[in-house]
Amino acid sequence: RGRGRLILNPGGQATIREDVVFEGSGIHTGQQCRVVVHGAPAGSGIVFLTGGRRIKAWPANVVDTARGTSLGDGGEKVILVEHLMAALAGMGVDNAECEVSGPEPPALDGSALAFAEGLRAAGIVKQGRERRVVHVRGVECVAKGDAVMVAAPAETFEAVCLLRFDHRLIGMQAFSFSGDAEAFLSAVAGAR
């Protein structure tokens, strides 16, 4: 528990055909940042390279969740990885090395969309090895503060999100998603 990546959709592992470069200002630091995403061998997962360290994108390496998700190992860390991680997952990329120059990946437009479009342009290639899939056997519920996550057995993946703010312009909102990379690009990737 806590070491592997949660895979909900079965199928073959994939990586990118060509390296892709993203550059721009960091959303939290304002510093110039750069990330080069390289293809990686089957079974290697998502790894961030920074300061001479290899930081695996595992739950055990999450070192901070205030204002974003930070991954760290051995004193090195990368902040605000969730937009790039969402793009990798949404586009079906299981294995990649993300070489980061700066404290965080660039903000780009503030969403996962530019990352996802760049990954698609680089080409997604199957690697001839099946994903290790996590099967939910019963209803699971995790709560922290006002947040609740519920998982239940199903034939296909679907995420349903409910959000409530005590503000008249936001109020209660709901969103449901199930689909492939193209559906992720059109329905989810541009969310901020």
Side-chain angles (χ1 to χ4, degrees):
R1 281 191 176 262
R3 291 194 51 140
R5 180 171 168 220
L6 177 63
I7 301 294
L8 300 169
N9 287 319
Q13 291 185 28
T15 191
I16 56 172
R17 178 175 283 117
E18 299 175 1
D19 292 352
V20 61
V21 178
F22 302 100
E23 296 180 289
S25 296
I27 198 165
H28 286 287
T29 64
Q31 295 180 23
Q32 275 302 113
C33 300
R34 179 176 201 248
V35 63
V36 182
V37 182
H38 307 278
S44 58
I46 307 299
V47 177
F48 285 84
L49 309 170
T50 187
R53 296 290 291 190
R54 297 175 56 81
I55 304 171
K56 294 188 177 205
W58 286 345
N61 286 339
V62 173
V63 295
D64 192 8
T65 57
R67 300 180 58 216
T69 303
S70 298
L71 297 173
D73 186 28
E76 290 291 333
K77 74 177 182 177
V78 179
I79 65 174
L80 203 72
V81 298
E82 58 267 28
H83 299 154
L84 178 54
M85 290 294 295
L88 290 162
M91 299 307 294
V93 176
D94 303 282
N95 304 298
E97 290 190 344
C98 305
E99 185 178 352
V100 180
S101 300
E104 62 185 305
L108 305 175
D109 73 349
S111 76
L113 183 60
F115 290 118
E117 290 173 338
L119 294 169
R120 179 175 61 179
I124 311 290
V125 292
K126 294 291 183 187
Q127 296 182 287
R129 187 165 164 189
E130 288 296 303
R131 292 176 173 141
R132 197 181 84 210
V133 179
V134 173
H135 295 280
V136 178
R137 303 208 190 290
V139 176
E140 301 277 340
C141 182
V142 177
K144 183 175 182 182
D146 291 343
V148 178
M149 185 174 106
V150 178
E155 293 297 317
T156 60
F157 173 77
E158 180 178 11
V160 178
C161 301
L162 298 172
L163 180 70
R164 185 182 69 210
F165 278 94
D166 291 329
H167 190 284
R168 63 181 177 80
L169 295 177
I170 301 173
M172 175 84 82
Q173 297 182 16
F175 178 76
S176 176
F177 171 78
S178 60
D180 59 10
E182 291 306 312
F184 172 79
L185 273 167
S186 65
V188 177
R192 290 182 178 84

